Amino acid sequence: MAHIEINDAIHRTIILSQKEERVVDHPYVQRLRYVRQLGFVPYVYPSATHDRFSHSLGTMHIAGLLAHQMLNNEGVSAIARILSPEQKEFLTRIVRLAGLLHDVGHAPFSHPAETAMPDVSSLALSRQWLIYPDERRRATHEDYSVLLIAGMTEGKDAVLTAEEAEIISSLVHHKKIKIPSSWKDHFSEDLHPESLHCFVRLLVSSNLDADRMDYLLRDSHFTGVTYGHYDIPWLISNLGALERDGDYVMSIADSGVGAFEHYIFARYHMYIQVYMHKTVKCFEYYFQKALAEGETRYKIPASREEYTAMRDSTLLEQLFTAALRNPRSWSGRLIRREPSKRIARIWGNRQEVEKVFRNVEQELKPLGVTPFMHFSRSEFLELSEAKERAERGKQGMFLLRLASMPAVVIRKQFGVVSAASLADHSFILQRYHQDISYGDIYILPEEFSANETAIQQAIKKFRELAPSEITLDQDAG
């Protein structure tokens, strides 16, 4: 079969089929060349200027590796042993396309811009696809991905069939898109099509998926840090699939647990050191304030064609114009790269953090100082869905104990093969499964420099020391 090869900084060579080449060349996918992967991270890590396009290619590549391992390798996968060659080919093709298109709906500047998205009801999404067709909420980039994937079946640029588009959408946005009837047409009832869908979507949207596997390595490489490095060949080679009474669960061999723990550490440290860097979060706050206060004409449209005409440069030019018009605006501070002074990072849930912030705000008010707070939260391991599946399924206790973690561990001891909860098997996972949740409190630079001594004196009262901490002189250490 004819194919093309693409050189890639992370995976060296990425091979595309003729079908995939046509999808890559579609204008909606090519748009991702003009949307940076990391938003405002390049303001801190200057070399992190890579785009969503290269990440999408990398995700497709890893999705293919995962599909080969867990849908085709009969030695480690119960699923591979029951699928026909035609079903394996179909699933591998769909999984790779889902990896390629998982981010196609990202807006300029990615996640921070989602606060400007319209109500999901204004998007022309097929009601027949939706789990909750009358839902009212703000749209997300996943909703726009579904909108664009559906559009790739239309007009002279059509590259997907209607069936492919619906199935891919159900994999990349499974919380909102139903499992299509066409999916079930490919598998007999004894293969448990719904359970198989639940498993296959893990390869593109889960705690251990192609998306995360690529962006950790890619973002680490282009930021110039080593936090995101992990042993991806060994990790993937130790993955498999377990079947129990019609349910499919991702498995990992005992020998691969160390590689998985390394992956978990990589995610944790990339979030803390890169994605949630204090200056990155400060600039995200500036950006969102600039949008909220109307400094730009930026508005995310519901129209598919208007949306796909937007790129990072669309918004960047508007920010430059606003900065020239008013240098002291939020846009001006952002364009000049003028970060505020962070005075504290408070770990806890939003209610706890906001309580501390309100007290700090009141303490600084007599000084004429107005602090601001940016709250950040990342669900580190998404366990809720697996638990819900377990609680409503006939094999509830099996799933609740095993599938509520990213994978189960296959152990071989004294000639006996067993499956164990990864949480019970990994003390690192027991510690690193909590949400990352905190608030950063900042003061504008001119306010801090004009009142530094008084501010430092006023905020000392809020510092709570751990039992093992002692205070030091300001110049110590």
Side-chain angles (χ1 to χ4, degrees):
M1 180 181 293
H3 64 266
I4 67 167
E5 296 183 3
I6 296 175
N7 291 329
D8 180 68
I10 307 305
H11 307 298
R12 301 308 175 202
T13 301
I14 295 176
I15 298 176
L16 275 69
S17 68
Q18 289 182 319
K19 166 83 170 184
E20 291 163 350
E21 182 184 4
R22 291 195 299 272
V23 176
V24 167
D25 286 340
H26 192 281
Y28 293 172
V29 179
Q30 288 295 310
R31 181 187 72 96
L32 297 178
R33 291 181 183 272
Y34 311 105
V35 178
R36 282 184 178 177
Q37 170 76 3
L38 292 181
F40 296 104
V41 170
Y43 282 48
V44 179
Y45 298 94
S47 61
T49 56
H50 54 301
D51 51 46
R52 292 268 168 194
F53 180 77
S54 61
H55 166 58
S56 296
L57 291 173
T59 301
M60 180 199 69
H61 174 74
I62 294 179
L65 298 178
L66 291 172
H68 176 76
Q69 178 70 7
M70 287 187 273
L71 304 178
N72 293 272
N73 188 341
E74 297 183 9
V76 296
S77 172
I79 295 176
R81 291 191 287 271
I82 60 176
L83 293 176
S84 70
E86 294 76 20
Q87 289 168 332
K88 292 176 183 178
E89 187 280 329
F90 164 74
L91 287 175
T92 300
R93 174 168 55 85
I94 288 294
V95 165
R96 281 176 60 90
L97 288 173
L100 176 63
L101 298 174
H102 80 286
D103 267 355
V104 73
H106 263 291
F109 287 94
S110 298
H111 296 287
E114 293 195 19
T115 57
M117 286 184 171
D119 192 279
V120 68
S121 62
S122 65
L123 274 61
L125 300 175
S126 171
R127 290 179 62 84
Q128 285 70 37
W129 291 13
L130 299 173
I131 298 174
Y132 312 107
D134 298 314
E135 186 177 22
R136 299 301 300 268
R137 58 177 173 81
R138 187 167 63 203
T140 65
H141 76 272
E142 290 94 347
D143 296 311
Y144 276 96
S145 288
V146 172
L147 181 69
L148 269 56
I149 290 168
M152 296 172 74
T153 67
E154 303 173 2
K156 62 181 179 62
D157 292 321
V159 291
L160 298 176
T161 66
E163 176 186 291
E164 288 171 333
E166 188 176 7
I167 291 175
I168 291 167
S169 295
S170 72
L171 295 176
V172 301
H173 199 19
H174 61 85
K175 293 180 181 179
K176 302 297 180 182
I177 304 297
K178 290 187 279 190
I179 300 176
S181 58
S182 59
W183 169 271
K184 300 173 185 178
D185 293 340
H186 288 271
F187 309 100
S188 59
E189 281 301 315
D190 62 320
L191 294 180
H192 308 285
E194 291 193 10
S195 295
L196 184 60
H197 186 279
C198 290
F199 182 87
V200 170
R201 72 191 188 209
L202 295 177
L203 308 187
V204 290
S205 180
S206 70
N207 295 302
L208 188 59
D209 63 10
D211 177 26
R212 289 166 173 80
M213 287 185 175
D214 182 79
Y215 75 59
L216 288 176
L217 296 173
R218 192 170 301 276
D219 295 349
S220 183
H221 174 83
F222 285 104
T223 53
V225 303
T226 59
Y227 306 119
H229 295 179
Y230 64 97
D231 191 350
I232 186 171
W234 185 246
L235 177 59
I236 291 178
S237 70
N238 277 278
L239 296 177
L242 178 68
E243 187 272 337
R244 175 77 173 261
D245 297 321
D247 271 309
Y248 303 109
V249 182
M250 190 180 296
S251 65
I252 183 168
D254 192 15
S255 57
V257 171
F260 175 77
E261 291 175 336
H262 194 181
Y263 164 83
I264 289 294
F265 268 127
R267 278 188 62 197
Y268 181 82
H269 290 134
M270 283 295 286
Y271 271 90
I272 296 300
Q273 300 294 336
V274 177
Y275 309 136
M276 293 179 164
H277 188 283
K278 64 178 182 178
T279 306
V280 172
K281 290 301 171 183
C282 176
F283 289 149
E284 287 182 5
Y285 179 89
Y286 288 179
F287 174 74
Q288 290 170 345
K289 291 291 285 185
L291 297 187
E293 296 184 8
E295 292 182 7
T296 73
R297 295 177 287 101
Y298 184 70
K299 184 179 180 181
I300 296 182
S303 161
R304 178 190 296 141
E305 295 310 316
E306 291 180 22
Y307 186 77
T308 54
M310 304 180 78
R311 302 167 294 279
D312 279 3
S313 59
T314 307
L315 181 50
L316 196 57
E317 288 304 317
Q318 294 186 32
L319 292 171
F320 269 104
T321 299
L324 288 172
R325 187 166 54 243
N326 179 7
R328 304 313 301 166
S329 63
W330 298 108
S331 301
R333 296 178 187 279
L334 180 58
I335 294 302
R336 289 196 311 277
R337 199 197 177 280
E338 186 181 279
S340 291
K341 175 68 176 180
R342 189 187 70 177
I343 60 172
R345 171 166 284 184
I346 310 299
W347 289 78
N349 61 43
R350 182 181 284 274
Q351 186 177 2
E352 294 167 339
V353 172
E354 287 183 344
K355 181 179 179 181
V356 175
F357 173 69
R358 285 193 297 270
N359 291 334
V360 172
E361 194 176 30
Q362 285 298 113
E363 190 71 22
L364 295 179
K365 192 173 182 179
L367 301 178
V369 173
T370 305
F372 63 88
M373 190 264 290
H374 187 286
F375 182 78
S376 302
R377 179 181 177 273
S378 177
E379 188 175 21
F380 193 58
L381 289 179
E382 299 172 7
L383 307 182
S384 56
E385 183 192 359
K387 289 182 178 179
E388 289 170 6
R389 283 178 55 208
E391 288 164 356
R392 67 173 180 260
K394 63 180 181 180
Q395 294 298 320
M397 289 310 297
F398 171 73
L399 278 174
L400 185 60
R401 292 180 57 212
L402 299 183
S404 61
M405 284 290 147
V408 301
V409 180
I410 303 301
R411 304 187 65 195
K412 296 179 181 179
Q413 297 280 1
F414 297 109
V416 176
V417 181
S418 63
S421 167
L422 186 54
D424 295 337
H425 196 71
S426 169
F427 75 91
I428 289 177
L429 189 61
Q430 293 172 17
R431 171 64 181 86
Y432 284 89
H433 74 278
Q434 303 297 327
D435 291 349
I436 302 173
S437 177
Y438 60 76
D440 286 315
I441 301 176
Y442 300 89
I443 297 174
L444 291 173
E446 65 271 18
E447 289 188 0
F448 186 81
S449 60
N451 302 275
E452 181 173 358
T453 302
I455 290 171
Q456 296 284 18
Q457 192 61 38
I459 63 177
K460 281 183 179 179
K461 63 189 295 183
F462 298 104
R463 181 67 167 94
E464 295 182 2
L465 299 178
S468 60
E469 284 184 284
I470 61 171
T471 57
L472 299 173
D473 293 336
Q474 192 73 13
D475 296 332

